[in-house]
Amino acid sequence: MMNVSIIIPTYNEKENIVILSNQLLEIFKNSEHNLKIIVVDDNSPDGTSSVVKQLDQFEKSIFLITRKEKLGLGSAYQAGYNWCKKNNSDCIIQMDSDLSHPPEITIQLVDSINEGFDVAIASRYVDKGGVSSWPLHRKIISFVANMLVRVFLGSKLHDNTTGFRGFNSTTIDLLIHYDVKSNGFSYLIESVYLFHKKKLRIKEIPFVFQERSLGKTKLSSFEILRFLLSIFHLLIYGIKEKSN
């Protein structure tokens, strides 16, 4: 049995978080693993935090980290990692709250960590993976982003920009210990760069990305620009341990 923690950052996701948390609880109900869901909410104006507090399993299997303002995806992950570290999680999964990441894939991520991999990546760009209902410009952005990470940062992964990932506790220690600077979407490639430099054992698992049906996408032009700047920053400065 493993202590599995699933980190779910939220901002205006009150409908989706109820659906997703119930699906996850149902999936893990018949597994041998002990599940904890950690919702990291950036003070959502739609009352996401209040909805989470009303869930039946709140403070039993579902836990809430509420932050005072919108601080970004990367820092939400970091808040979740620190919670998992303090609560002795064996396997940590991060996933989106908008139902674009199929919850049943979480079991495969856990199994991969249990097999001895440091990182398990849910990948859209391996055999049997894919994307459902993306417009052409989103496909182009994703293709170019992954190509840049492979060419400039040396990653061997097919999908460097997916946020659907699983880690063992050793990897979480690295993510906490190293100075991964980005608070936004580009945090994903900074962490991939760290995995590459530390030569971690990584497994990619196929999944089909589903476009959200409720709410609005959080990917903006500013995030795309910050992503590009992060690649050049990593090329020049690399990534360092945090100073005490």
Side-chain angles (χ1 to χ4, degrees):
M1 183 180 77
M2 299 181 75
N3 291 322
V4 177
S5 296
I6 300 181
I7 302 167
I8 308 175
T10 57
Y11 187 76
N12 287 345
E13 299 286 0
K14 68 178 182 180
E15 295 97 347
N16 289 326
I17 194 59
V18 174
I19 298 169
L20 178 57
S21 58
N22 286 334
Q23 289 176 338
L24 289 169
L25 290 170
E26 186 65 25
I27 288 167
F28 278 85
K29 182 173 67 176
N30 298 318
S31 80
E32 60 181 354
H33 306 300
N34 178 31
L35 175 66
K36 289 183 172 61
I37 298 170
I38 302 94
V39 178
V40 185
D41 186 63
D42 278 2
N43 196 23
S44 297
D46 74 343
T48 298
S49 291
S50 298
V51 169
V52 171
K53 291 175 183 177
Q54 294 170 16
L55 295 173
D56 289 342
Q57 290 298 309
F58 181 63
E59 295 192 337
K60 297 174 185 175
S61 297
I62 301 172
F63 300 86
L64 176 66
I65 299 172
T66 305
R67 307 195 300 167
K68 293 182 179 180
E69 57 185 323
K70 191 175 182 181
L71 298 174
L73 187 65
S75 65
Y77 289 147
Q78 287 282 337
Y81 299 157
N82 281 293
W83 189 99
C84 294
K85 177 72 173 175
K86 291 176 184 176
N87 288 274
N88 301 312
S89 301
D90 301 311
C91 174
I92 298 89
I93 294 170
Q94 62 185 47
M95 66 187 301
D96 292 350
S97 58
D98 60 6
L99 307 180
S100 59
H101 294 162
E104 61 271 16
I105 300 296
T106 56
I107 291 291
Q108 296 181 52
L109 296 176
V110 173
D111 289 344
S112 297
I113 299 303
N114 207 18
E115 290 168 10
F117 289 94
D118 300 304
V119 180
I121 301 284
S123 175
R124 298 160 291 185
Y125 304 127
V126 294
D127 186 35
K128 298 182 180 178
V131 174
S132 175
S133 303
W134 259 8
L136 180 61
H137 75 277
R138 284 288 301 275
K139 292 179 180 179
I140 293 172
I141 289 170
S142 183
F143 173 80
V144 171
N146 275 284
M147 180 186 68
L148 290 174
V149 175
R150 287 194 295 270
V151 171
F152 289 105
L153 302 182
S155 171
K156 301 297 190 293
L157 295 176
H158 295 85
D159 196 344
N160 297 275
T161 57
T162 176
F164 198 4
R165 302 172 175 179
F167 314 106
N168 62 13
S169 57
T170 302
T171 303
I172 290 299
D173 288 341
L174 284 173
L175 288 167
I176 291 172
H177 190 61
Y178 275 78
D179 193 14
V180 183
K181 293 182 178 298
S182 176
N183 288 328
F185 172 73
S186 51
Y187 179 90
L188 297 172
I189 61 149
E190 289 193 61
S191 53
V192 163
Y193 180 79
L194 178 61
F195 304 156
H196 172 65
K197 288 298 180 182
K198 291 298 179 179
K199 299 180 179 179
L200 299 186
R201 294 163 295 173
I202 305 175
K203 182 176 181 180
E204 287 191 87
I205 297 163
F207 89 104
V208 177
F209 181 97
Q210 302 290 332
E211 187 61 79
R212 65 157 60 238
S213 58
L214 296 171
K216 296 180 180 179
T217 182
K218 308 298 191 299
L219 182 63
S220 65
S221 299
F222 176 72
E223 285 293 346
I224 294 170
L225 175 61
R226 191 154 62 175
F227 172 88
L228 295 172
L229 292 174
S230 292
I231 291 178
F232 292 111
H233 185 275
L234 289 169
L235 277 172
I236 297 170
Y237 299 105
I239 193 167
K240 299 181 175 69
E241 295 183 28
K242 290 178 181 175
S243 57
N244 293 328

